[in-house]
Amino acid sequence: MADFSQLPIRDDLRGLTPYGAPQNTVRVALNVNENTHPIPEDVARDIVESIAGAILTVNRYPDREFTELRESLARYLNEETPDAQLGADHIWAANGSNEVLQQILQAFGGPGRTVLGFPPTYSMHSIISAGTGTQWIAGERDEQYTLTPETVTRWIEQTDPDLVFLCSPNNPTGTPLSLETIEAAYAASRGIVVVDEAYAEFAPSELPTAVSLLEGRERLIVSRTMSKAFAFAGARVGYLAADPAVSDALRLVRLPYHLSALTQAAAVAALRHAPEMLAMVGDIREQRDRLIVELEKLGYAPLPSWSNFVLFGGVDDPNAVFEALLEQDILIRDVGIPNHLRVTAGTAAETTVFLEALARL
Ligand SMILES: *Cc1c(COP(=O)(O)O)cnc(C)c1O
């Protein structure tokens, strides 16, 4: 077998490495911020029934406009942000929010264009940029990985990007992002501003999200996913809310029928049960807060988190700790930040197993 660099591959892909969180089968998997609670059995049955219905017409292409799914997602977001008054035309969906982000870059980025992000942040933002030939510009964060309105404004003024990627709360640090910073980024830029809200449901529920900023901002896109809070990672459903013109632009680059009839049926059924699907979010927040308290007691330096994971510093040898936990069948994440590791808040039992193992090291 040849090395891929021997193939006539695009020059700008030479030397890159693919996304690669390990997929070991372990007892306690706390490495990719999944919701580790399985979905309720009666909900699972209803989803299966819907898929069974959809498969009877799978000889035909699915609804290319996934209208029922967009209506369901609009209803879901309107529950959370009633003032947004979103309709199906404000919503777009794809096979995971990663595909949504890719379509955004295909339409608004590409060769000769730039996207500004603020590492350490979600690694796929720069990887999808590379895949679409969009030049990634790495901005810098403030103290403790925060991002002030002044800092984003300065970076946007200095680099004049075609797109700005913000992550709220940020992965892998868990850091909240204020609406003021998002407003400042929008005001300072001429381009598309994407707020990746993959973990929005884990933030304090009384606070508004970037969805509340959409009105009157046609270059603002809020991306969401059913992979995390919704416990639907394996189904691959991500979506965005934005001005309807954004969906019109994405129709130019999406593949026809990109959301299968089975995916659409499964997601619509899951959204019918949104309260049950999200029932464990409160529990996960509790485990996250417990992780922060207990990691501190163990002498580590956990960062504040509004997500379902905790990044903690004070780790002398992250690789050694990672390996020692893996030996006990516990998988967490070394995200490449010196002296830090990231752990997902799992069930109470999983969190206990992790904390006890760490305490023994
Ligand atoms: C997990 C994650 C996603 C989710 O990607 P999907 O493709 O929807 O599974 C998106 N953004 C961030 C920041 C994430 O951490």
Side-chain angles (χ1 to χ4, degrees):
M1 197 188 92
D3 186 281
F4 78 74
S5 62
Q6 293 166 259
L7 298 174
I9 192 171
R10 273 164 42 191
D11 290 334
D12 60 339
L13 293 181
R14 267 175 216 286
L16 298 188
T17 40
Y19 175 86
Q23 284 202 298
N24 318 21
T25 309
V26 291
R27 181 167 57 112
V28 180
L30 301 175
N31 67 327
V32 286
N33 303 337
E34 292 150 337
N35 184 335
T36 67
H37 300 261
I39 63 180
E41 192 159 333
D42 52 331
V43 178
R45 275 183 213 293
D46 192 40
I47 294 172
V48 168
E49 257 176 52
S50 295
I51 297 172
I55 209 154
L56 294 175
T57 52
V58 88
N59 56 311
R60 303 287 182 186
Y61 281 112
D63 174 11
R64 198 172 48 211
E65 288 296 311
F66 42 100
T67 309
E68 196 183 354
L69 175 58
R70 284 158 67 213
E71 285 166 357
S72 302
L73 289 166
R75 227 174 288 128
Y76 170 68
L77 287 182
N78 284 334
E79 289 274 318
E80 191 189 271
T81 313
D83 291 347
Q85 299 193 23
L86 301 173
D89 55 346
H90 294 96
I91 306 292
W92 185 257
N95 298 282
S97 54
N98 279 300
E99 188 179 43
V100 173
L101 297 176
Q102 183 177 54
Q103 292 172 341
I104 292 169
L105 284 170
Q106 285 176 317
F108 300 105
R113 293 201 165 201
T114 58
V115 52
L116 171 66
F118 294 89
T121 192
Y122 185 44
S123 62
M124 282 309 300
H125 290 169
S126 53
I127 293 175
I128 298 171
S129 301
T132 58
T134 316
Q135 189 195 335
W136 171 256
I137 302 172
E140 282 165 12
R141 290 178 173 266
D142 301 291
E143 299 273 288
Q144 290 247 308
Y145 307 113
T146 56
L147 205 45
T148 61
E150 295 72 34
T151 297
V152 284
T153 302
R154 195 179 68 242
W155 273 97
I156 291 168
E157 285 174 352
Q158 281 173 4
T159 62
D160 188 34
D162 296 290
L163 297 105
V164 181
F165 273 14
L166 301 170
C167 195
S168 174
N170 187 50
N171 180 11
T173 61
T175 320
L177 182 73
S178 72
L179 293 189
E180 289 72 32
T181 297
I182 298 166
E183 287 178 287
Y186 188 87
S189 81
R190 60 176 171 79
I192 295 286
V193 175
V194 179
V195 185
D196 184 338
E197 288 196 343
Y199 301 96
E201 286 91 349
F202 298 107
S205 49
E206 66 282 4
L207 296 182
T209 78
V211 171
S212 67
L213 298 177
L214 286 173
E215 177 75 44
R217 291 185 178 87
E218 70 281 352
R219 293 178 288 111
L220 181 63
I221 301 176
V222 182
S223 94
R224 290 287 191 96
T225 181
M226 292 180 72
S227 294
K228 307 288 162 60
F230 243 92
F232 224 45
R236 311 303 302 128
V237 185
Y239 57 102
L240 64 73
D243 189 280
V246 168
S247 300
D248 291 339
L250 299 187
R251 277 188 192 90
L252 302 174
V253 297
R254 63 91 176 270
L255 298 174
Y257 319 109
H258 67 285
L259 271 178
S260 88
L262 307 183
T263 303
Q264 294 184 42
V268 167
L271 285 157
R272 276 201 298 272
H273 298 278
E276 297 127 276
M277 293 291 280
L278 295 171
M280 299 319 292
V281 164
D283 200 62
I284 294 165
R285 281 200 204 110
E286 267 176 42
Q287 297 309 316
R288 171 198 67 201
D289 294 340
R290 175 181 166 214
L291 278 169
I292 292 175
V293 169
E294 297 299 324
L295 283 165
E296 209 160 280
K297 281 191 202 157
L298 290 174
Y300 294 103
L303 280 114
S305 173
W306 278 14
S307 55
N308 68 338
F309 57 84
V310 176
L311 182 73
F312 56 102
V315 189
D316 292 339
D317 186 347
N319 189 49
V321 174
F322 174 88
E323 292 295 340
L325 290 170
L326 190 55
E327 250 166 53
Q328 298 176 61
D329 235 13
I330 304 164
L331 185 58
I332 65 167
R333 190 80 174 268
D334 181 352
V335 291
I337 301 177
N339 303 116
H340 286 70
L341 285 168
R342 191 192 72 189
V343 61
T344 305
T347 61
E350 289 167 329
T351 305
T352 300
V353 169
F354 161 74
L355 284 169
E356 288 181 357
L358 190 66
R360 279 196 304 271
L361 291 185

